[in-house]
Amino acid sequence: MMIQSLKLRDFRNYQELEINPHPGVNILFGQNGSGKTNLLEAIHYCALGRSHRTSQDKEVVSKGADFAAVGVQLQKSSTRMDIQVKLTPNDGKKKSVFVDRKRANRLSDLMGHVQCVIFSPEDLMLVKEGPSIRRRYLDMMLSQLSTAYFTALQQYQKALDQRNALLREAKKGARLDAAMMDAFEEAMAAQCAVVIPLRRRMVSHTAFIAGEKYASISGREYEEFRMEYECCVPEGEDIAAYAASELKSGRQEDVFRGSTSFGIHREDILLTLKGREMKVFASQGQIRTAALSMKLAQLEVFRGETGEAPILLLDDVMSELDMTRRTRLLEEISGVQTFITCTDESDLEGCRERRSYQVYMDAAGFGHVTEASAGSAVPTTEEMLDDLDL
């Protein structure tokens, strides 16, 4: 999988931009705040229809603009594909997705066309942060591989929000509508039956690869790194029936809390090293190695499931890694189209197949990208993304 063209219009600090990336490593260097991460964010939108930095689409629309648009021209095996996302947060239809210039009916239609793995400084805290960041890691991976998973997650969240709304009203003294609670809980339980088997399989598969990556990067095979899915439903139980029962039996406690205490939205991945929980005792070096191993495992899972390497986005992580881990990372990304942001181009001295871009802002605050070193030639086509007016 390779991006041949990336195009932005009124996205963050870019009025209009088009670049034709290198098939290997693309280095985006410049001062902090110049707009490097915005380029990775644009690619992320084309893969998942959302930002990895904010849940508010309006934040990415340039000041004074009515909409923002991003698009990629993608080469997959022997086929070429155009993906475009238009964001109009002030209109009723806040987001529009186009696949090969045809409007998609649902956001789920976008999933799987552009697959990316993003590694940012925040991901170095996969070990130390709460369960939500590890669930997000799992959800982003599975959503790009399974439309059914993405749809089930959306439907589950909708039913969860509705159940929580009833709980909050009941906490204030309103009568709890049992029939409505039954309906929302049945909807949640049905989606649990879709999500949980996929999570179980994915964590098991990823854990094996991540363990191998950890041993390779650290050089310490005796430091066994493990990932274990902490599921809300015990193994062997009928998932839908068990979930519905737990939700119903927990209603009174949930009214007191004003929120739902059981479900896939509270699950976690337990990370251990030599049998001990990492967030309790692990050193900073061990934490960085574990987080990097999990991301590299994600890359290998995508490659194994689809037969193609995903796009790799590395957001200012080189400065967080020592020379050994940096070298190991560069070895791992061979043959993968990669976009790396950094403030100092010298962080990537060991990288051969690459193209460098300097990112900077003008006096008016608009972002610009200038090719600093070309690298090898990149195949282009006559039909580039020539219409982001949509």
Side-chain angles (χ1 to χ4, degrees), residues 208-225:
F208 177 78
I209 300 173
E212 291 185 328
K213 297 294 183 185
Y214 187 98
S216 174
I217 294 169
S218 67
R220 301 174 180 177
E221 294 187 4
Y222 61 89
E223 286 190 354
E224 185 182 15
F225 172 60

Side-chain angles (χ1 to χ4, degrees), residues 155 158-160 162-163 166 177-191 244 247-248 251:
Q155 294 177 351
K158 183 178 180 180
L160 173 64
Q162 292 168 322
R163 186 179 190 270
L166 289 181
D177 189 319
M180 291 187 71
M181 288 294 283
D182 286 342
F184 297 148
E185 289 168 3
E186 287 175 10
M188 291 171 65
Q191 303 315 319
L247 286 165
K248 188 168 186 175
R251 285 181 188 177

Side-chain angles (χ1 to χ4, degrees), residues 34-253:
S34 58
K36 303 184 299 293
T37 301
N38 298 344
L39 300 173
L40 305 191
E41 186 178 28
I43 297 172
H44 197 275
Y45 259 107
C46 292
L48 285 148
R50 54 168 289 181
S51 167
H52 67 289
R53 305 157 75 188
T54 177
S55 60
Q56 301 295 320
D57 288 336
K58 63 182 180 181
E59 293 182 11
V60 308
V61 180
S62 297
K63 186 177 180 180
D66 294 326
F67 70 90
V70 294
V72 295
Q73 186 178 77
L74 191 72
Q75 185 71 38
K76 297 179 69 175
S77 298
S78 58
T79 62
R80 194 182 74 247
M81 178 176 290
D82 287 345
I83 302 294
Q84 301 174 342
V85 179
K86 182 179 180 180
L87 306 166
T88 51
N90 295 325
D91 292 344
K93 185 71 173 179
K94 296 183 178 180
K95 190 178 300 179
S96 301
V97 172
F98 298 81
V99 179
D100 283 337
R101 304 181 183 275
K102 295 179 181 179
R103 185 188 293 268
N105 294 321
R106 299 172 299 274
L107 183 59
S108 59
D109 294 335
L110 175 67
M111 299 300 148
H113 292 304
V114 183
Q115 291 168 338
C116 74
V117 175
I118 187 164
F119 189 25
S120 65
E122 292 77 19
D123 291 318
L124 291 171
M125 296 307 292
L126 267 168
V127 178
K128 284 289 188 180
E129 292 291 333
S132 62
I133 192 170
R134 289 181 287 278
R135 284 197 305 273
R136 183 171 178 268
Y137 161 80
L138 192 56
D139 289 343
M140 287 175 62
M141 181 159 44
L142 276 164
S143 292
Q144 294 183 75
L145 291 170
S146 170
T147 301
Y149 183 89
F150 178 77
T151 302
L153 210 57
Q154 282 188 315
Q155 294 177 351
Y156 176 89
Q157 187 62 49
K158 183 178 180 180
L160 173 64
D161 291 342
Q162 292 168 322
R163 186 179 190 270
N164 283 341
L166 289 181
L167 293 172
R168 288 192 295 269
E169 290 301 314
K171 187 176 182 180
K172 295 176 183 177
R175 183 181 67 85
L176 192 64
D177 189 319
M180 291 187 71
M181 288 294 283
D182 286 342
F184 297 148
E185 289 168 3
E186 287 175 10
M188 291 171 65
Q191 303 315 319
C192 285
V194 177
V195 168
I196 287 175
L198 292 170
R199 281 186 175 179
R200 279 178 174 154
R201 175 182 174 273
M202 183 56 70
V203 173
S204 176
H205 185 30
T206 306
F208 177 78
I209 300 173
E212 291 185 328
K213 297 294 183 185
Y214 187 98
S216 174
I217 294 169
S218 67
R220 301 174 180 177
E221 294 187 4
Y222 61 89
E223 286 190 354
E224 185 182 15
F225 172 60
R226 299 192 65 181
M227 300 168 56
E228 182 179 345
Y229 175 37
E230 295 191 317
C231 184
C232 63
V233 177
E235 192 79 41
E237 293 282 352
D238 181 296
I239 295 173
Y242 184 92
S245 175
E246 288 293 306
L247 286 165
K248 188 168 186 175
S249 64
R251 285 181 188 177
Q252 289 307 311
E253 180 184 344

